[in-house]
Amino acid sequence: MKTLLSRAALRNSVFYGGLILALVVALVLAWRTTMVSSILAIVIAPEFVRAALIAATPLLLAALGGLISELSGVLNMALESMMLIGAFTAYTASDYGHSPWVGLIAAAAAGLLIGLLHAFFSITLRSNQIVSAVALNLFALAATALGFRVLYASGVFVSAPGFEPLHIPFLSDLPYLGIALFSHNILIYLALLLVPITWFILYKTSWGLTLRSVGEHPLAASTMGINVTRVRYLAVLLSGAVAGMSGSALVSASNINAFQENLSAGRGFIAFAAVIFGRWNPIGISFGAILFGLGDALQIRLQAYGVGVPYQLLLMLPYLITLVALVTFMRHAHGPAASGQPYTEEG
Amino acid sequence: MKARKLTQLLLIATIGMVIFVACAPAPAAAPATSAPAANTAAPAATTAPAAKKYKVAMVTSGPTNDQGWNYDALRGIQAIRDKLGWEMAYSENVPAAQQENVLRQYAQQNYDLIFAHGYEWGDALKAVAKDFPNVMFAQINATTQGSNIVGTSFKYGELGYFTGMAAGLMTKNNKIGVVAAQDAPQVTADTDTMKTGAKAVNPNADVNVSFVGSWDDVVKGGQVAQAQIDRGVDVLIIMGNAFTPPAIKLAQDKGIKVIAGWTIEAYPLAPNTIVTSGIQDIPDVYLNTAQQLQDGKLKGNTTNVFGWKEKAQYLGHWGDFVPQSVQDAVQKAEAAYLAGTLDIGVK
Amino acid sequence: MSDPTRGKVGAFDRRAWSRLLLGSVGLPALSVLVAIVIGAVMMVLMGFDPRQAYAALWQGAFGNVIQISETLKTATPLLLCGLGISFAFQAGAFNIGAVGQMYAGALAAVIVGGLFPNMPAPLHIGLSTLAAFVAGGLWALAPALLKVYSGANEIISTILLNYIGIYLVDYMISGPIKIGEHRDAPTSWPVADSAVYPKLIPHTQLHLGLLIALAAMVVLFVVMRYTTLGHRVRIVGQNPVAARHAGIRSDRVFLLAFFFSGSLAGLAGASEILGYMTHLISGFAPNTGYDAIAVALLGGFEPFVVGLAALFFAGLQTGAIAMEAVARLPAQLVGMIRVLAILAVLAASSPRIVELANRSRLAKPELPAASPPPPVPAVETPEIP
C-alpha cells in the first residue's frame, strides 16, 4: 500500500470520491429541488474545473511538503505557517523584485527558514511536534502582520506582479479542456508536475529509500550507518521550501496578487489533512487536494448561481467534505511508524 | 545545584526588571521619545484659531490597512490632524473583550474626542462614558444614548440604489454580480436597493449577490469575483474592505467593468475598468464632528445623520469609457431623489 | 512528579513539590524574561522606548483595581480552555479544537440563556452553564469517537470542527437566533437578565466566571493528583502499554479526556457570553482556543501553574491595550512580543533543555525532574479497535 496506489485502491478512491460528491449535491438538492439544472450547469462547466485546480494548487504544494517531512518521521502541522510566511514573502519579494519568480524563490527560502525552526524544536530540542507547529503558526500570524504593517503602512493598495496564464498553441484552444486544463499559469503546471517527480524521488531513488526508512525504523536505519538527525533535518527543510512555495501559489495562482493578515485562513490545515487522506502517497495526495479544491469551488459557485442555501452553511462545505472524506478513507490508514516521536540515541 | 543557581538568577532578574520598570519615565506625560509618525501627531500649521491643543483618539475593531472601513477611520483622524492641527492616536484590531479597557485608557489621558468606530462599541461606550464627563465620545454607525456620546448614522440604501442604476445601464447582457462581505443589515440594505435600482432602468437585469463571508479575505474575494465572471456577468459591484482592490484588478484582467464601494475612490486604480465608485465619506464625518467640538457646538444625546443630502454619500469619478447618457441619467435620478420626487426605498 | 504507582496518593511530597515548582515555573519564567528582552530590542529598533512601553504594560495589566479586574476577566476563558487542554494532554491526547468547543458552548449558553426569561436566576444560570458544559463536551467527543471507531485522525477532525463551529455560529446568529431588532452586524438574541452572571466587583466586568475557572483549577488538581481517575489518565498518557496491562481501557480514558477537555472549553464560551457579552456575535473569540494551547504549555500542563500562565497571558493582552494607547506601540509589535514569549517557553520546556538543566542533579537521565510527561501523541498510528 505504500508504493503506487494499487488498482483496487484507486478504483475505490474514485468510487468513494464520486459517491461523496454525489451525496453532497444530493443534500443540496434536497434543500431546494428547483435548482437541479443550475447545479448541473455549475458542475459540468469547464470554468468550474479550472477554478477547482486553482484552489487545489496551494493545497497540493503544501501537502507535498508535508509528505516529505512526515515520511521522515517528523510530524509537520506547521504547513499553515509555512504557507502564510511564504505568501507574505512571495508578495513582498515579487513587489520589490518586480517579478513573480523572485517571489517564488523567496517564498521557498522563507518556508525553509520556518522548516529550520520546526526541525530545531522537533529534532534537536525534542519538543512535542504538534506544540511546535502550533507555536510556529502563531509566530507566522504575528510576524506577517507586523511585516505587512511595517512594509505597507501607507494603506494604498499595491498589486504585485503575478504569474500570467500561459497560452499553449494547440491545447489552449480545445473546446472544453482548453479552458479547464490548459489556461493556467505556470505555477499550477509546476505543482502538478511535482507529483510524479515527488513520487519518483521517494520510491525510485536511494535517497527516497533512506528517507522512508528513517521514518519507519530510525533505530534500524541508524545501525545501517544513516545519520537519522541529518536526514530528518534535510527532509524538514525541503518540506519547508515546498510548503513555502504554496504561499506563492496562494498569492498568484488565484490571480489576486495581494496580501492581507492571515491570508492562508486555515488552508495549511486542510493540506495537512490531505497528506493523511492521501495515505502518505503523492498520487493520493493529489486526489485529496483536487477533491478539496472541487469542494471550495463548488461552494462559491453554488452561491453565485443563486442556490438558496444560507451562505454560512455553504462556507462549511469544504470542511464537511474533508471530514466525511477523512472518516471514509481513514480505515486502516497507517502513517510512517516513527512519525511524531523524537529520536534519541537510546532508542 | 544548577536548579538553585537558576532560582537565584531568576530572583535577581525579576528584581532587576522591577527596578528597571519602576524607574521608567511616567507614561502619562507627553512622551519625550520619538515614535513613528503614523501613530503620533505632527501638527501642521493650520488656520484654526484655537489656542488649546486638542487631542483626538480613535478605536476600531479591525486593521487600518484594510483599504476600507477601518482605513477610513484612520484617514478620518489624519484629516483632523492635518486640517485642524489636533494631536491624534489610535488603537486598531481591538478585540471585543478589550473594548471598555481601551476606551478607558484614552479617556484617562484626557483626550478631548474619542471616536469608537462601529456599531459594536455601543455597550462599552455606555459603561465607560459616564465616568469621564469631560470627554466627548463619538460613535460611528450607531445611536447610543449618553450625555457625552454623539452618534452618527448613514443612510444605507442610497449608495446601493444609484450604483445599481449605473450597473443596470452599463450591462450589455443583463447579468450583474455583486461581491459582498457578509449579510449584515447594513450590507443587505444596499444590496436590496441595488436590485431595485438596476431593475428601475433595466427590467431584465439579473442581479446576483454573493457573500465572501469576511470583509478581508482577499483569496476568497477573488474566487467569488471569478465565479461571477464565469457565470457570465459583465458588470461587478464589489463592496468589501481588503478584498476590493485585488478583485478590481482581477476583473480588469478579464475585461469586466466594476463599480466599487463604499470607501475608496477606485478610479485611479483602474480608469478603464471602474464605472464609478460609491463613496461613504467617513473622513468628512470625522472632520465635521471634530470641527463641531472645536466650535463648541457638539452635544451629547444626538445623532447626526449623514447621507446624500449632507454630501456624505455620493458617486465618485466616472470611468473614461462611461457614456455621457448614462452619467446624465444617474445624475437626474440623484437630483430627483434630493428633491423628494424619487422614492428609492430608503427612509 | 511522584510516581503514581508508588503509593504516594494523598501524601504531601515536599521534594516533589519544589522540583515541580522549579521546573514548571523556573525555566519557563526565565525564558519569558528572554522574550521580554528581545521585545525590548525590537522596540528600540523601531524607535520606541522599552521602559515606557513596559511600564505602560504593567500599569495596564495591574495598575489599579479596574485594570486588575480587566486582566482577571480576560484570564478566565484562557484558564478554562487551558485546563481542558492540559487534562487532555495528560491523557496523551491533543485537543486543538478548543475554539470550536468554546463556540459550541457559547451557542448553547446563549440559546438556553435567551429562552426561559422568567426562570429564577440561580436555576437559569446553572442551566445555561450546564448546557454549555455539555455542548462543548459533545463537540470534543465527536472527533474522539471518530478516532476510536473509525481511526480518523483527531487532530484534523478537531481543526475542521473549529471552522465548522465558527460558521455554524455565523449561521445561527443570522438566522434562527437572530436578535429581534435592527442591528448593524449579525447578532444573536440577548441573554435574559436572569441568566447573566453576577459581577464580582461593582462597576467592572469581572464576573462569576472567574470563580468557576478557579474552582475548575482546584478540581482538576485534586482529580489528577488524588483520584484513581486522575492516575488512570496519567498512566494512559505516559505509558499506554502499561495501562493496557493494568487493565485500563485506554479508549474509554481517551474519550473521557476529550469530553472533559471540550466541556471546559464550553464553559469558557459560556463565561464570555453569560459574563459580560450577553449577545453572541460573529468572531467573539477567534484566538482564545489557540492562545490557551500556549497557556497550557507555559503552565507545564499543571493546573495551578496553568492558572499563573493564564494570568500572565491575560496581563499581556490587557496591558497591550495600554501599551498601544499610552506608549503608542503598534498592535502588531505587541503581538510579536507575545509570540516570542511562546517560542521561548516552547524551547525552555523541551525535553532536551530540561535534560541539560537537570543533568547534574539526577542519577537517571531519562527521568528529567519536573518536566511535563512527554506524551505519545496518538496521532499517526490509530488503534484498530
Side-chain angles (χ1 to χ4, degrees), chain B residues 2-3 7 10 13 17 20-21 23-24 27 31 33-36 39-40 89 91-92 97-98 100-102 104-106 109 111 119 141 183-186, chain C residues 22 30 33 36 46-49 51-52 55 66-67 70 73-74 167 174 182-184 186 205 276-277 318 321-322 324-326 328 330 332 357 360:
Chain B
K2 274 237 168 92
T7 341
L10 196 64
M17 266 291 292
F20 181 65
V21 161
C23 289
T33 57
S34 63
N39 239 338
T40 44
S91 287
E92 56 178 329
Q98 302 294 340
E100 279 194 23
N101 190 9
V102 73
R104 213 173 277 120
Q105 291 293 335
Y106 282 113
Q109 295 181 71
Y111 274 79
Y119 187 93
N141 236 2
D183 70 346
Q186 69 190 91
Chain C
L22 227 57
L30 188 66
L33 229 58
I36 290 178
M46 286 182 68
F48 295 98
D49 177 358
R51 286 188 303 168
Q52 188 194 27
I66 293 186
Q67 295 310 119
E70 285 280 342
K73 176 196 92 177
T74 310
Y167 291 129
S174 298
H182 171 87
R183 286 287 173 116
D184 277 2
Q205 286 184 317
Y276 64 99
M277 285 193 188
T318 321
I321 297 286
E324 292 165 46
V326 173
R328 312 289 173 76
Q332 293 86 349
S360 61

Coordinates of all heavy atoms in Angstrom, one line a residue, chain B residues 2-3 7 10 13 17 20-21 23-24 27 31 33-36 39-40 89 91-92 97-98 100-102 104-106 109 111 119 141 183-186, chain C residues 22 30 33 36 46-49 51-52 55 66-67 70 73-74 167 174 182-184 186 205 276-277 318 321-322 324-326 328 330 332 357 360:
Chain B
K2 N 22.4 23.2 40.0 CA 22.1 24.1 38.8 C 20.7 24.7 39.1 O 20.5 25.9 38.8 CB 22.0 23.2 37.6 CG 23.3 23.1 36.8 CD 23.2 23.6 35.4 CE 24.6 23.7 34.8 NZ 25.0 22.5 34.1
A3 N 19.8 23.9 39.7 CA 18.4 24.4 39.9 C 18.5 25.6 40.9 O 17.8 26.6 40.7 CB 17.5 23.3 40.4
T7 N 17.3 29.5 40.3 CA 16.4 30.3 41.1 C 17.0 31.6 41.5 O 16.3 32.6 41.4 CB 16.0 29.6 42.5 OG1 16.3 28.2 42.4 CG2 14.6 29.8 42.8
L10 N 16.9 33.8 38.6 CA 15.6 34.3 38.3 C 15.2 35.4 39.3 O 14.6 36.4 38.8 CB 14.6 33.1 38.6 CG 13.2 33.3 38.0 CD1 13.3 33.4 36.5 CD2 12.4 32.1 38.4
A13 N 17.0 38.5 38.4 CA 16.4 39.1 37.1 C 15.1 39.7 37.4 O 14.8 40.8 36.9 CB 16.3 37.9 36.1
M17 N 14.3 43.6 36.8 CA 13.2 44.1 35.9 C 12.3 45.1 36.6 O 11.9 46.1 36.0 CB 12.3 42.8 35.5 CG 12.8 42.2 34.2 SD 12.5 43.3 32.8 CE 10.7 43.3 32.7
F20 N 14.0 48.3 37.0 CA 14.1 48.9 35.7 C 12.8 49.6 35.2 O 12.8 50.7 34.8 CB 14.5 47.7 34.7 CG 14.7 48.1 33.3 CD1 15.7 48.9 32.9 CD2 13.8 47.6 32.3 CE1 15.9 49.2 31.6 CE2 14.0 47.9 31.0 CZ 15.1 48.7 30.6
V21 N 11.7 48.8 35.4 CA 10.5 49.3 35.0 C 10.0 50.5 35.9 O 9.5 51.5 35.4 CB 9.4 48.2 35.0 CG1 8.0 48.7 35.0 CG2 9.6 47.3 33.8
C23 N 11.7 52.6 37.3 CA 12.5 53.9 37.1 C 12.1 54.5 35.7 O 12.7 55.5 35.3 CB 14.0 53.6 37.1 SG 14.6 53.2 38.7
A24 N 11.2 53.9 35.1 CA 10.8 54.5 33.8 C 10.1 55.8 33.9 O 9.5 56.0 34.9 CB 9.9 53.5 33.0
P27 N 4.5 57.4 32.1 CA 4.0 57.3 30.7 C 2.9 58.3 30.4 O 2.7 58.7 29.3 CB 3.4 55.9 30.6 CG 3.2 55.5 32.0 CD 4.1 56.2 32.9
P31 N 5.1 61.9 25.7 CA 6.3 61.1 25.5 C 7.5 61.9 24.9 O 7.3 62.6 23.9 CB 5.8 60.0 24.5 CG 4.6 60.5 23.9 CD 4.0 61.5 24.9
T33 N 10.2 60.6 23.8 CA 10.9 59.8 22.8 C 10.2 59.9 21.4 O 9.0 60.3 21.4 CB 10.9 58.3 23.1 OG1 9.6 57.9 23.3 CG2 11.7 58.1 24.4
S34 N 10.9 59.6 20.4 CA 10.3 59.6 19.1 C 9.5 58.4 18.8 O 9.9 57.3 19.2 CB 11.3 59.9 18.0 OG 12.2 58.7 18.0
A35 N 8.4 58.5 18.1 CA 7.7 57.3 17.7 C 7.3 57.5 16.2 O 7.2 58.7 15.8 CB 6.4 57.2 18.6
P36 N 7.2 56.5 15.5 CA 6.8 56.6 14.1 C 5.7 57.5 13.8 O 4.7 57.5 14.6 CB 6.5 55.2 13.6 CG 7.2 54.3 14.5 CD 7.3 55.1 15.8
N39 N 1.7 57.0 14.1 CA 0.9 56.9 15.4 C 0.8 58.2 16.2 O -0.1 58.3 17.0 CB 1.6 55.8 16.3 CG 0.6 54.7 16.5 OD1 -0.6 54.9 16.4 ND2 1.1 53.6 16.9
T40 N 1.7 59.1 16.0 CA 1.6 60.3 16.8 C 1.3 61.5 15.9 O 1.4 61.4 14.7 CB 2.8 60.6 17.6 OG1 3.9 60.4 16.8 CG2 2.9 59.7 18.8
A89 N -4.2 59.8 18.0 CA -3.7 58.5 18.4 C -4.8 57.5 18.1 O -5.9 57.9 18.0 CB -3.3 58.4 19.8
S91 N -6.1 53.0 18.3 CA -5.8 51.6 18.6 C -6.7 50.8 17.6 O -7.9 51.0 17.4 CB -6.3 51.2 20.0 OG -5.4 51.7 20.9
E92 N -6.0 49.9 16.9 CA -6.7 49.1 15.9 C -6.7 47.6 16.4 O -6.1 47.3 17.3 CB -6.0 49.2 14.5 CG -4.5 48.8 14.6 CD -3.9 48.8 13.3 OE1 -4.5 48.6 12.2 OE2 -2.6 49.1 13.2
A97 N -13.3 41.8 23.9 CA -13.1 41.8 25.4 C -12.4 43.0 25.9 O -12.4 43.3 27.1 CB -12.4 40.5 25.8
Q98 N -11.7 43.7 25.0 CA -10.9 44.8 25.5 C -11.5 46.2 25.2 O -10.9 47.2 25.3 CB -9.5 44.8 24.8 CG -8.8 43.5 25.1 CD -8.4 43.3 26.5 OE1 -8.4 44.3 27.3 NE2 -8.2 42.1 26.9
E100 N -14.0 48.1 26.6 CA -14.1 49.0 27.7 C -12.7 49.5 28.1 O -12.4 50.7 28.4 CB -14.7 48.4 28.9 CG -16.2 48.3 28.8 CD -16.9 48.0 30.2 OE1 -16.2 48.2 31.2 OE2 -18.0 47.5 30.2
N101 N -11.7 48.6 28.2 CA -10.4 48.9 28.6 C -9.8 50.0 27.7 O -9.2 51.0 28.3 CB -9.6 47.6 28.5 CG -8.2 47.7 29.2 OD1 -7.9 48.7 29.8 ND2 -7.4 46.7 29.0
V102 N -9.9 49.8 26.4 CA -9.2 50.8 25.6 C -9.8 52.2 25.6 O -9.1 53.2 25.6 CB -9.1 50.2 24.1 CG1 -10.5 50.3 23.4 CG2 -8.1 51.0 23.3
R104 N -11.2 53.4 28.2 CA -10.8 54.0 29.5 C -9.4 54.5 29.4 O -9.1 55.6 29.9 CB -10.9 52.9 30.6 CG -11.3 53.5 31.9 CD -11.5 52.4 32.9 NE -12.9 51.9 32.9 CZ -13.2 50.6 32.7 NH1 -12.2 49.7 32.4 NH2 -14.4 50.2 32.6
Q105 N -8.5 53.8 28.7 CA -7.1 54.2 28.6 C -7.0 55.6 27.9 O -6.3 56.4 28.4 CB -6.3 53.2 27.7 CG -6.1 51.8 28.4 CD -5.3 51.9 29.6 OE1 -4.4 52.8 29.7 NE2 -5.4 51.0 30.5
Y106 N -7.8 55.8 26.9 CA -7.7 57.1 26.2 C -8.4 58.2 27.0 O -7.9 59.3 27.1 CB -8.3 57.0 24.8 CG -7.4 56.4 23.8 CD1 -7.7 55.2 23.2 CD2 -6.2 57.0 23.4 CE1 -6.8 54.6 22.3 CE2 -5.3 56.4 22.5 CZ -5.7 55.2 22.0 OH -4.8 54.6 21.1
Q109 N -6.3 59.6 29.6 CA -5.2 60.5 29.2 C -5.8 61.8 28.7 O -5.1 62.6 28.1 CB -4.5 59.9 28.1 CG -3.7 58.6 28.5 CD -3.0 58.1 27.3 OE1 -2.0 58.6 26.8 NE2 -3.4 57.0 26.7
Y111 N -8.1 62.7 26.5 CA -8.4 63.0 25.1 C -9.7 63.8 25.0 O -10.6 63.5 25.8 CB -8.4 61.8 24.3 CG -7.1 61.3 23.8 CD1 -6.2 60.7 24.7 CD2 -6.6 61.6 22.6 CE1 -4.9 60.3 24.3 CE2 -5.3 61.3 22.2 CZ -4.5 60.6 23.1 OH -3.2 60.3 22.7
Y119 N -20.7 49.9 15.2 CA -21.8 49.6 16.0 C -21.5 48.9 17.3 O -22.1 49.1 18.3 CB -22.9 48.8 15.2 CG -24.1 48.7 16.0 CD1 -25.1 49.6 15.8 CD2 -24.3 47.7 16.9 CE1 -26.3 49.6 16.5 CE2 -25.4 47.7 17.7 CZ -26.5 48.6 17.5 OH -27.6 48.5 18.2
N141 N -21.8 55.0 13.1 CA -22.8 54.0 12.7 C -23.7 53.5 13.8 O -24.1 52.3 13.8 CB -22.0 52.7 12.2 CG -22.4 52.4 10.8 OD1 -23.3 53.1 10.2 ND2 -21.9 51.4 10.2
D183 N -23.9 39.1 5.3 CA -25.2 39.6 5.1 C -25.7 40.4 6.3 O -26.8 40.2 6.9 CB -26.2 38.5 4.8 CG -26.4 37.5 6.0 OD1 -25.6 37.6 6.9 OD2 -27.4 36.8 5.9
A184 N -24.8 41.3 6.8 CA -25.2 42.2 7.9 C -26.3 43.2 7.3 O -26.3 43.5 6.1 CB -24.0 43.0 8.3
P185 N -27.2 43.6 8.2 CA -28.3 44.5 7.7 C -27.8 45.7 6.9 O -28.5 46.1 5.9 CB -29.0 44.9 9.0 CG -28.7 43.8 10.0 CD -27.4 43.3 9.6
Q186 N -26.7 46.3 7.3 CA -26.2 47.5 6.6 C -25.8 47.1 5.2 O -25.8 48.0 4.3 CB -25.1 48.1 7.4 CG -23.8 47.3 7.3 CD -22.7 47.8 8.3 OE1 -22.7 47.5 9.4 NE2 -21.9 48.7 7.8
Chain C
L22 N 9.9 24.5 40.6 CA 11.1 25.0 39.9 C 11.0 24.7 38.4 O 11.2 25.6 37.6 CB 12.3 24.3 40.5 CG 13.5 25.2 40.8 CD1 13.0 26.3 41.8 CD2 14.6 24.4 41.4
L30 N 12.1 32.1 33.2 CA 13.3 32.6 32.7 C 13.2 32.9 31.2 O 13.7 33.9 30.7 CB 14.5 31.6 32.9 CG 15.9 32.1 32.6 CD1 16.2 33.3 33.6 CD2 16.9 31.0 32.7
L33 N 11.4 35.9 30.4 CA 12.3 37.1 30.5 C 13.1 37.3 29.3 O 13.3 38.5 28.8 CB 13.2 36.8 31.7 CG 13.3 37.9 32.8 CD1 12.0 38.1 33.4 CD2 14.3 37.4 33.9
I36 N 11.1 39.0 26.8 CA 10.8 40.4 27.1 C 12.0 41.2 26.7 O 11.9 42.3 26.1 CB 10.6 40.6 28.6 CG1 9.2 40.0 28.9 CG2 10.7 42.0 29.0 CD1 8.8 40.1 30.4
M46 N 12.6 49.8 16.4 CA 11.5 50.5 15.8 C 11.3 51.9 16.3 O 10.4 52.6 15.9 CB 10.2 49.7 15.9 CG 10.2 48.5 15.0 SD 8.7 47.6 15.1 CE 7.5 48.7 14.3
G47 N 12.2 52.3 17.2 CA 12.1 53.7 17.7 C 11.2 54.0 18.9 O 10.8 55.1 19.1
F48 N 11.0 53.0 19.7 CA 10.2 53.2 20.9 C 11.1 53.1 22.1 O 12.1 52.5 22.1 CB 9.1 52.1 20.9 CG 8.1 52.3 19.8 CD1 8.2 51.5 18.7 CD2 7.1 53.2 19.9 CE1 7.3 51.6 17.7 CE2 6.1 53.3 18.9 CZ 6.2 52.5 17.8
D49 N 10.5 53.6 23.2 CA 11.2 53.5 24.5 C 10.7 52.2 25.3 O 9.6 52.3 25.7 CB 11.0 54.7 25.3 CG 11.6 54.7 26.7 OD1 12.3 53.7 27.0 OD2 11.5 55.7 27.4
R51 N 11.3 51.1 28.2 CA 10.9 51.3 29.6 C 9.5 51.8 29.7 O 8.7 51.4 30.5 CB 11.9 52.2 30.3 CG 13.3 51.5 30.6 CD 14.1 52.4 31.4 NE 14.3 53.7 30.8 CZ 14.9 54.8 31.5 NH1 15.2 54.6 32.7 NH2 15.0 55.9 30.9
Q52 N 9.3 52.8 28.9 CA 7.9 53.4 28.9 C 6.9 52.4 28.5 O 5.8 52.3 29.1 CB 7.9 54.6 28.0 CG 6.7 55.4 28.1 CD 6.5 56.4 27.0 OE1 7.0 56.2 25.9 NE2 5.8 57.4 27.2
A55 N 6.4 49.8 31.2 CA 5.7 50.5 32.3 C 4.2 50.6 32.0 O 3.4 50.3 32.9 CB 6.3 51.8 32.6
I66 N -9.5 48.5 38.6 CA -10.2 48.3 37.4 C -9.4 47.5 36.4 O -9.9 46.6 35.8 CB -10.6 49.6 36.8 CG1 -11.6 50.3 37.6 CG2 -11.2 49.4 35.4 CD1 -12.2 51.6 37.1
Q67 N -8.1 47.8 36.3 CA -7.3 47.1 35.4 C -7.1 45.7 35.8 O -7.1 44.8 35.0 CB -5.9 47.8 35.3 CG -5.9 49.2 34.7 CD -6.7 49.3 33.4 OE1 -7.7 49.9 33.3 NE2 -6.3 48.5 32.4
E70 N -10.0 43.8 34.8 CA -10.0 43.5 33.4 C -9.1 42.3 33.1 O -9.4 41.5 32.3 CB -9.5 44.7 32.6 CG -10.4 45.9 32.5 CD -11.4 45.7 31.4 OE1 -11.2 44.8 30.5 OE2 -12.5 46.3 31.4
K73 N -10.7 39.2 34.2 CA -11.8 38.8 33.3 C -11.2 38.2 32.0 O -11.8 37.2 31.5 CB -12.6 40.1 32.9 CG -13.6 39.8 31.9 CD -14.1 41.2 31.3 CE -13.3 41.5 30.0 NZ -13.8 42.7 29.3
T74 N -10.1 38.7 31.5 CA -9.5 38.1 30.3 C -8.9 36.8 30.6 O -8.9 35.9 29.7 CB -8.4 39.1 29.8 OG1 -9.0 40.4 29.7 CG2 -7.9 38.7 28.4
Y167 N -18.6 28.8 11.5 CA -19.6 29.1 10.5 C -21.0 28.7 11.0 O -22.0 29.4 10.7 CB -19.3 28.3 9.2 CG -18.1 28.8 8.5 CD1 -17.1 28.0 8.1 CD2 -17.9 30.2 8.3 CE1 -15.9 28.5 7.5 CE2 -16.8 30.7 7.6 CZ -15.8 29.8 7.2 OH -14.7 30.3 6.6
S174 N -27.4 34.8 12.4 CA -28.0 35.5 11.3 C -29.4 34.9 11.0 O -30.2 35.5 10.2 CB -27.2 35.4 10.0 OG -26.0 36.0 10.2
H182 N -33.2 45.8 14.9 CA -32.2 46.1 13.8 C -30.8 46.2 14.4 O -30.6 47.0 15.4 CB -32.6 47.3 13.1 CG -31.5 47.8 12.1 ND1 -31.4 47.3 10.8 CD2 -30.5 48.6 12.3 CE1 -30.4 47.9 10.2 NE2 -29.8 48.7 11.1
R183 N -29.9 45.5 13.9 CA -28.5 45.7 14.3 C -27.6 45.7 13.1 O -27.9 45.1 12.1 CB -28.1 44.5 15.2 CG -28.6 44.5 16.6 CD -28.0 45.5 17.5 NE -28.7 45.6 18.8 CZ -28.1 45.3 19.9 NH1 -26.8 44.9 20.0 NH2 -28.8 45.4 21.0
D184 N -26.5 46.4 13.2 CA -25.7 46.6 12.0 C -24.8 45.4 11.7 O -24.3 45.3 10.6 CB -24.8 47.8 12.2 CG -25.6 49.1 11.7 OD1 -26.8 48.9 11.4 OD2 -25.0 50.1 11.7
P186 N -24.4 40.9 12.4 CA -25.1 39.8 12.8 C -25.0 39.6 14.3 O -23.9 39.5 14.8 CB -24.5 38.6 12.1 CG -23.8 39.2 10.9 CD -23.4 40.6 11.3
Q205 N -16.2 44.6 34.8 CA -16.8 43.5 34.1 C -16.5 42.1 34.7 O -16.8 41.1 34.1 CB -16.3 43.5 32.6 CG -17.0 44.6 31.8 CD -16.6 44.6 30.4 OE1 -15.4 44.4 30.0 NE2 -17.5 44.8 29.5
Y276 N -20.4 38.8 30.4 CA -20.5 40.2 30.1 C -20.9 40.6 28.7 O -21.5 41.6 28.4 CB -19.2 41.0 30.4 CG -18.0 40.5 29.5 CD1 -17.7 41.3 28.4 CD2 -17.3 39.4 29.8 CE1 -16.6 40.9 27.6 CE2 -16.2 39.0 29.0 CZ -15.9 39.7 27.9 OH -14.9 39.3 27.1
M277 N -20.7 39.6 27.8 CA -21.1 40.0 26.4 C -22.6 40.0 26.2 O -23.1 40.8 25.4 CB -20.5 39.0 25.4 CG -19.0 39.3 25.2 SD -18.4 38.4 23.8 CE -16.6 38.6 23.9
T318 N -4.3 42.5 28.3 CA -4.8 43.8 28.8 C -3.8 44.9 28.8 O -4.1 46.0 28.4 CB -5.3 43.6 30.2 OG1 -5.9 42.3 30.3 CG2 -6.3 44.6 30.6
I321 N -3.1 46.7 25.4 CA -4.0 47.8 25.1 C -3.4 49.2 25.6 O -3.4 50.2 24.9 CB -5.4 47.6 25.7 CG1 -6.0 46.4 25.1 CG2 -6.3 48.8 25.5 CD1 -6.5 46.5 23.7
A322 N -3.0 49.1 26.8 CA -2.3 50.3 27.4 C -1.1 50.7 26.6 O -0.8 51.8 26.4 CB -2.1 50.2 28.9
E324 N -0.4 50.2 23.6 CA -0.8 50.9 22.4 C -1.3 52.3 22.6 O -0.9 53.3 22.0 CB -1.8 50.1 21.6 CG -1.3 48.8 21.1 CD -2.5 48.0 20.7 OE1 -3.4 48.5 20.0 OE2 -2.5 46.8 21.1
A325 N -2.2 52.4 23.6 CA -2.8 53.7 23.8 C -1.9 54.7 24.5 O -2.0 55.9 24.2 CB -4.1 53.5 24.7
V326 N -1.0 54.3 25.3 CA -0.2 55.2 26.1 C 1.2 55.4 25.4 O 1.7 56.5 25.2 CB 0.0 54.7 27.5 CG1 1.0 55.6 28.3 CG2 -1.4 54.8 28.2
R328 N 2.0 54.2 22.5 CA 1.8 54.3 21.0 C 2.5 53.2 20.2 O 2.8 53.4 19.1 CB 2.3 55.6 20.5 CG 1.8 56.8 21.3 CD 0.3 57.1 21.1 NE -0.2 58.1 21.9 CZ 0.1 59.4 21.7 NH1 0.7 59.8 20.7 NH2 -0.4 60.3 22.6
P330 N 2.5 50.0 17.9 CA 1.5 49.3 17.1 C 1.1 48.0 17.6 O 1.9 47.3 18.2 CB 2.2 49.2 15.7 CG 3.7 49.4 16.0 CD 3.8 50.1 17.3
Q332 N 0.6 45.2 16.2 CA 1.3 44.1 15.7 C 2.7 43.8 16.4 O 3.1 42.7 16.6 CB 1.6 44.3 14.2 CG 0.4 44.3 13.3 CD -0.2 45.6 13.2 OE1 0.1 46.5 14.0 NE2 -1.2 45.8 12.3
A357 N 19.4 21.1 31.8 CA 19.3 21.9 33.1 C 19.4 21.0 34.3 O 19.8 21.5 35.4 CB 18.0 22.7 33.1
S360 N 23.1 17.6 36.2 CA 23.9 17.4 37.4 C 23.1 16.9 38.6 O 23.7 16.5 39.6 CB 24.6 18.8 37.8 OG 23.6 19.7 38.1

